[in-house]
Amino acid sequence: MVEASTPTAPERTARAPRVFFGWWVIAAGGGLQMMQAMFLGQAYGAYVVLLREEFGWSKTMLSAASSLREAESGILGPVQGWMLDRLGPRTVARVGVVIMGIGFMLFSRMDSPLTFYGSFLVMSIGGSLAGYMTVTFAAVHWFERRRATAISLTSTGFALGGMAVPVTVLLLESLGWRDTAMLSGVVIIVLGLPLTQVLRHHPQDYGLLPDGDREEAARERAGPPPRSTAEDYTLGEAVRQPAFWWISLGHAAALFVVSSMGVHLVSHLRESQRYTLGQASTVVLLLTFLFMVGNISGGFLGDRVNKRMLLVACMGMHCGGLLILSHAVNVWMVVAFTVIHGLAWGWRGPQMAAIRADYFGRTAFGKIMGVSNMIIIIGTISGPLIAGYMYDRTGNYRLGFDILAGIALAGSVFFVLARKPGPPHRALARA
């Protein structure tokens, strides 16, 4: 069992932990990501099918809930970034878990568009506070040389949660969506709160440096010295760099595709390919498995190859995969989409936070990521809405998916332009 309390000064100096505590932080973050994917993120597509059958709501309306979630994330982003830099990830995640659990309980009792959107907003706020940004923030502070690997492992929890979506679907089919939502809220609070206790802000609290190095080992280790905090960008300095905007736009372009698949993939497979809900969830399972494979290998790649060029390639794969799905006429085209999109999603994911930390440093990472979220939400809001609106207008997803594929291709260009900036001017002046 992981000790939740911070060690005393004698403990910090007298002995080194057998396992670097940063890996426990990563494991806890992965657990939080897993719960979100299993109960909310990747499971929402199944809820869409059942809610449409019960209430007769349009795809655009159901898509708007996902867009509301992402809009909340973007609006909350700067505040969350400030909270993370000020309070640390444990406090922020703890509050988020409780809010998300309560949101699910409210969702289980909703019976109108107003209560639907209201409860979904509560869930979304909690999910944001306990989700990707908070977990990634912790990983960035605990790892430097193995940063992409660490971030990829937290996202493996998201992948495992997606692979567990068939369990959520089984609950939906056997218990109904209301009881499943209530049960989800209880599980999130009961399991989520102990996980948040493991999250920590700085490895220095353990007498360690990022990656588990100690002061003596860091001085003796061959290779380039770690980045000085004097070279870290402030928020104001970062937003004046073109790379900040190109990375944010490229990230947004990727999420046009990813967010639309989270909402509409199951519906597309049911209506265009005539899959059952169980068969469609199996495709989601395979997609998420490939995301996990790509995520783990993507962390390894990101620590060893040019992250920017890897992102350029992944955006091209997102484009190609979505075009194949849009025009699929048989199961093999669906499989091809699943392989291409799943691997691109996995390889790209760890690089998004890692490249920002590489470019701008750790000191103001929370604030930089929070402001960047305000641009990212363009994709997460608009992707599902474009696909849902085009479905309501044309009766199928083809044109909507083709438009999103074009946006993904533009994302490749954005990452080509996102060249690494030099140190901030004040660091150069000191030199």
Side-chain angles (χ1 to χ4, degrees):
M1 180 175 178
V2 178
E3 186 66 41
S5 61
T6 302
T8 64
E11 288 177 316
R12 290 200 300 266
T13 57
R15 59 182 173 82
R18 295 179 63 183
V19 177
F20 175 45
F21 192 79
W23 295 118
W24 293 114
V25 173
I26 296 304
L32 291 171
Q33 296 265 63
M34 180 176 177
M35 287 196 304
Q36 288 212 38
M38 179 177 178
F39 295 124
L40 178 60
Q42 297 190 64
Y44 181 61
Y47 277 100
V48 166
V49 173
L50 298 178
L51 293 175
R52 180 172 168 81
E53 289 176 353
E54 178 168 335
F55 295 105
W57 294 337
S58 71
K59 293 290 181 65
T60 302
M61 177 179 166
L62 292 167
S63 301
S66 177
S67 298
L68 174 67
R69 179 178 68 192
E70 304 303 342
E72 164 275 321
S73 176
I75 295 169
L76 184 65
V79 177
Q80 185 177 353
W82 177 86
M83 291 172 64
L84 287 167
D85 285 333
R86 179 93 177 202
L87 303 175
R90 178 170 53 175
T91 299
V92 175
R94 185 186 299 153
V95 172
V97 162
V98 173
I99 293 175
M100 181 166 58
I102 292 173
F104 266 97
M105 295 174 189
L106 294 174
F107 182 73
S108 72
R109 295 294 175 258
M110 70 88 181
D111 56 5
S112 68
L114 181 61
T115 54
F116 169 58
Y117 287 130
S119 59
F120 210 86
L121 180 60
V122 175
M123 281 192 295
S124 300
I125 292 173
S128 293
L129 293 176
Y132 171 80
M133 184 172 166
T134 296
V135 170
T136 301
F137 177 92
V140 163
H141 281 77
W142 280 84
F143 293 90
E144 186 167 320
R145 288 180 289 108
R146 290 178 277 185
R147 180 174 289 148
T149 298
I151 294 171
S152 74
L153 290 175
T154 64
S155 297
T156 298
F158 182 82
L160 291 172
M163 293 173 65
V165 165
V167 176
T168 304
V169 170
L170 180 62
L171 290 173
L172 288 168
E173 292 179 330
S174 58
L175 300 179
W177 66 267
R178 291 187 185 277
D179 288 344
T180 299
M182 176 62 74
L183 178 62
S184 298
V186 173
V187 170
I188 286 168
I189 293 175
V190 171
L191 297 184
L193 285 177
L195 289 174
T196 65
Q197 289 297 105
V198 183
L199 299 183
R200 293 291 189 277
H201 194 166
H202 296 295
Q204 287 81 359
D205 294 339
Y206 287 79
L208 297 171
L209 296 175
D211 300 294
D213 294 334
R214 284 188 173 272
E215 298 287 350
E216 298 82 1
R219 287 194 295 267
E220 295 172 1
R221 178 168 50 85
R227 176 181 181 137
S228 168
T229 56
E231 298 178 10
D232 288 355
Y233 278 76
T234 65
L235 173 61
E237 291 167 339
V239 298
R240 289 194 289 271
Q241 292 295 325
F244 172 88
W245 300 99
W246 291 126
I247 291 172
S248 300
L249 289 172
H251 197 172
L255 294 184
F256 269 93
V257 177
V258 171
S259 62
S260 63
M261 291 299 96
V263 176
H264 296 291
L265 178 58
V266 172
S267 294
H268 174 66
L269 293 174
R270 286 198 75 190
E271 295 168 17
S272 298
Q273 304 296 318
R274 299 293 186 262
Y275 287 17
T276 66
L277 189 59
Q279 290 170 332
S281 70
T282 301
V283 174
V284 173
L285 172 65
L286 176 60
L287 176 65
T288 311
F289 173 76
L290 288 163
F291 163 72
M292 182 176 68
V293 171
N295 204 268
I296 295 172
S297 57
F300 178 86
L301 286 172
D303 286 332
R304 289 162 178 81
V305 304
N306 186 303
K307 293 181 178 67
R308 185 166 61 93
M309 290 299 101
L310 181 58
L311 289 168
V312 171
C314 288
M315 294 305 298
M317 293 172 67
H318 278 312
C319 172
L322 193 53
L323 287 174
I324 291 172
L325 177 67
S326 175
H327 299 270
V329 294
N330 56 51
V331 67
W332 296 112
M333 294 182 74
V334 174
V335 170
F337 153 77
T338 304
V339 172
I340 295 170
H341 177 69
L343 290 176
W345 185 15
W347 287 337
R348 179 189 54 76
Q351 320 314 324
M352 299 314 311
I355 196 172
R356 289 181 174 93
D358 288 352
Y359 280 23
F360 305 116
R362 299 190 307 268
T363 303
F365 180 82
K367 298 182 186 71
I368 290 170
M369 193 69 192
V371 173
S372 184
N373 270 2
M374 299 181 70
I375 301 151
I376 295 169
I377 62 167
I378 297 171
T380 50
I381 291 173
S382 303
L385 287 176
I386 289 172
Y389 177 76
M390 297 312 299
Y391 178 92
D392 290 337
R393 291 294 300 269
T394 65
N396 61 64
Y397 285 107
R398 177 168 293 180
L399 181 56
F401 285 179
D402 287 348
I403 292 171
L404 296 175
I407 294 172
L409 186 61
S412 287
V413 178
F414 297 150
F415 283 119
V416 167
L417 297 171
R419 296 184 179 278
K420 185 176 182 178
H425 292 305
R426 58 183 164 76
L428 293 173
R430 289 180 184 176

